[in-house]
Structure formats: structure tokens, C-alpha cells
Amino acid sequence: MTGIGNRHPMTAEVRENAGGTGRDRWFVGFRFRTSRGSVGRQFFVVGEAADAEDAVAIAMARASLPRSRRAREDDAEMDGVEVRRLRWNPLGWAYLTRSRA
């Protein structure tokens, strides 16, 4: 999260920007490799998942949407998955947990 102007957002602002509930989110990253050998990544923040597996399934559905496919080359194949929890400490600072994949 970035600050607003030259100040840091307050806890309520951070949680509001994250979806309003203050509940943890999942950060899912996909690594893609094209037929030409170039590598790219796409990341999704998933708030409606019950667990890591559910978060990956939701992120994969988002990655298959036309707008997400246009963001990378259509012939790109998934080469890896990174799953982390996006959490907030008591002061409102966002952080990522260690990778689960």
C-alpha cells in the first residue's frame, strides 16, 4: 500500500482499501512462459477464498478472463504458482507471509 500524499494511511483506511472487512486476503502469483521463451508474472489479490487452494482456483479463473489473457501473450503457459497471505499488523501495515508454493 502506498501513502496518501506524504502521509501513511491509517488502519481503517488500509482495511477499507483492502475490501472493508479487515479479513486477510490471499496474494496469488502465476509465472508464465511464452513459446518464445520470455517469462512474465501475473498477480491477483483474492479476498473471498476460504483457504489457499480456493484462492488459487479463484485466481486461475481470473487469469483465464479475456482481459487477463490480453495482459500476457495468449500462448503463455503457466510455469509456477506462488501463494501468500496478505495480512495487516495491529498498526495497519500490510505484509505478506512466506510463500506456500
Side-chain angles (χ1 to χ4, degrees):
M1 299 267 162
T2 60
I4 300 170
N6 286 332
R7 68 179 182 83
H8 296 287
M10 305 301 280
T11 304
E13 292 172 322
V14 171
R15 291 199 172 140
E16 179 179 295
N17 290 337
T21 65
R23 207 176 81 199
D24 291 342
R25 307 288 185 248
W26 294 93
F27 181 83
V28 181
F30 296 117
R31 180 178 153 167
F32 291 94
R33 185 176 303 273
T34 67
S35 59
R36 294 179 298 139
S38 61
V39 176
R41 292 185 182 267
Q42 265 187 326
F43 298 95
F44 298 90
V45 176
V46 180
E48 62 274 16
D51 57 24
E53 287 181 30
D54 193 27
V56 170
I58 292 168
M60 288 182 81
R62 290 181 186 172
S64 67
L65 294 173
R67 64 182 170 182
S68 294
R69 292 175 49 134
R70 281 191 302 270
R72 63 182 191 275
E73 294 182 34
D74 278 331
D75 67 342
E77 293 184 24
M78 192 179 351
D79 191 28
V81 178
E82 175 184 7
V83 182
R84 296 177 181 218
R85 267 202 140 138
L86 178 59
R87 292 192 158 169
W88 287 265
N89 71 16
L91 297 175
W93 292 96
Y95 66 96
L96 294 171
T97 61
R98 291 188 174 181
S99 181
R100 293 180 165 228

